[in-house]
Amino acid sequence: RSAVMAGTTLVMQNLRVMVWKEKTAEYMAMLTMVMNILSMCCSSYFGRFSDKFGRRLGAAIFGICTFAPAWMLQIFGFNSTGLYASSAAFIVSGCCVGTDSILVLTSDVTREEDRPMIFGLFQSIANVTSFVLFGFPAILITLMHVIPNPSVEVWLMYQTVLALLYFIVLWRVRPSSAATFAAATAAAETEGSPEASPTMSERSTETVEAPDEAAPRRRGFC
């Protein structure tokens, strides 16, 4: 989502100024307020939805809502119609942007003993990716003017590539396989644990049988 914000900041802002002019700050404040209110009201319900119908489906809807504003520009064009369609998609994205669908999905595809390290790596990679794909290009383009601002088509293609990579990675994720592997690993560890193996007294009880008193006894010869 931070990578998508690069195109939103460097491209959409120009379109907003062109269409809304002096009302840009006011309209942007209203959009952000409505999106945050929708996120506050719907995040818990979306979390329940992803718990019931699968975290992959929740992550897929999260991705669709994230990339939808750019898709609206590709469909309607870089004009006032595209701006209002993209703004509507931005508001609708509040239904799921406040959830941790990706982080919860990460816990589903990792083993329990590896999750602290995986969560740390997840946050580190997310922060580095945010800087590389958003902060660093913004610094080079807007502050240092090292490279010129790419065209709208380049930014839209950039977000299209990000969307394809996101859904390819999501398609490759198999939570059920990870859960099966974790269950098999836990079963193997349980079978190999000392508690699962019978003790010496249990073995002796199982192997040594009491004599049958009803059977006739043999008498030895003097």
Side-chain angles (χ1 to χ4, degrees):
R1 185 171 179 84
S2 298
V4 174
M5 290 299 296
T8 303
T9 302
L10 301 177
V11 176
M12 285 294 297
Q13 194 62 27
N14 294 333
L15 180 59
R16 290 165 183 155
V17 173
M18 290 169 53
V19 177
W20 292 336
K21 301 184 186 306
E22 67 276 1
K23 296 288 186 178
T24 301
E26 178 184 352
Y27 291 166
M28 273 305 303
M30 293 174 60
L31 283 176
T32 305
M33 180 181 64
V34 174
M35 191 270 288
N36 289 331
I37 292 175
L38 188 62
S39 175
M40 181 180 61
C41 296
C42 299
S43 295
S44 60
Y45 295 103
F46 184 79
R48 294 179 183 178
F49 171 84
S50 62
D51 290 340
K52 183 177 181 180
F53 296 99
R55 275 66 181 270
R56 288 182 67 199
L57 179 59
I61 297 176
F62 174 84
I64 292 173
C65 292
T66 300
F67 295 106
W71 293 345
M72 294 299 103
L73 288 180
Q74 292 177 327
I75 295 173
F76 297 100
F78 195 73
N79 48 41
S80 60
T81 304
L83 174 61
Y84 287 109
S86 179
S87 300
F90 173 76
I91 293 176
V92 173
S93 68
C95 295
C96 59
V97 295
T99 62
D100 291 330
S101 301
I102 306 298
L103 191 61
V104 177
L105 181 62
T106 304
S107 68
D108 288 344
V109 298
T110 55
R111 292 181 297 183
E112 184 176 358
E113 60 270 18
D114 297 333
R115 284 172 187 167
M117 180 186 67
I118 295 299
F119 287 162
L121 289 175
F122 179 87
Q123 296 295 341
S124 300
I125 294 173
N127 293 332
V128 172
T129 304
S130 174
F131 176 75
V132 171
L133 298 180
F134 176 38
F136 189 62
I139 292 174
L140 294 179
I141 294 172
T142 60
L143 297 181
M144 302 180 66
H145 301 286
V146 176
I147 56 178
N149 191 359
S151 62
V152 177
E153 291 78 11
V154 173
W155 281 117
L156 294 179
M157 184 61 65
Y158 169 72
Q159 296 199 8
T160 301
V161 172
L162 289 178
L164 289 175
L165 292 176
Y166 176 84
F167 287 106
I168 288 174
V169 172
L170 184 62
W171 176 72
R172 296 285 298 175
V173 172
R174 303 294 179 186
S176 59
S177 300
T180 304
F181 176 77
T185 304
E189 292 176 353
T190 303
E191 291 177 358
S193 61
E195 289 81 1
S197 58
T199 60
M200 186 63 68
S201 59
E202 292 175 348
R203 292 176 182 175
S204 60
T205 304
E206 293 176 357
T207 54
V208 177
E209 298 180 354
D212 189 1
E213 296 181 357
R217 296 182 180 180
R218 295 184 181 178
R219 296 180 179 180
F221 295 95
C222 295

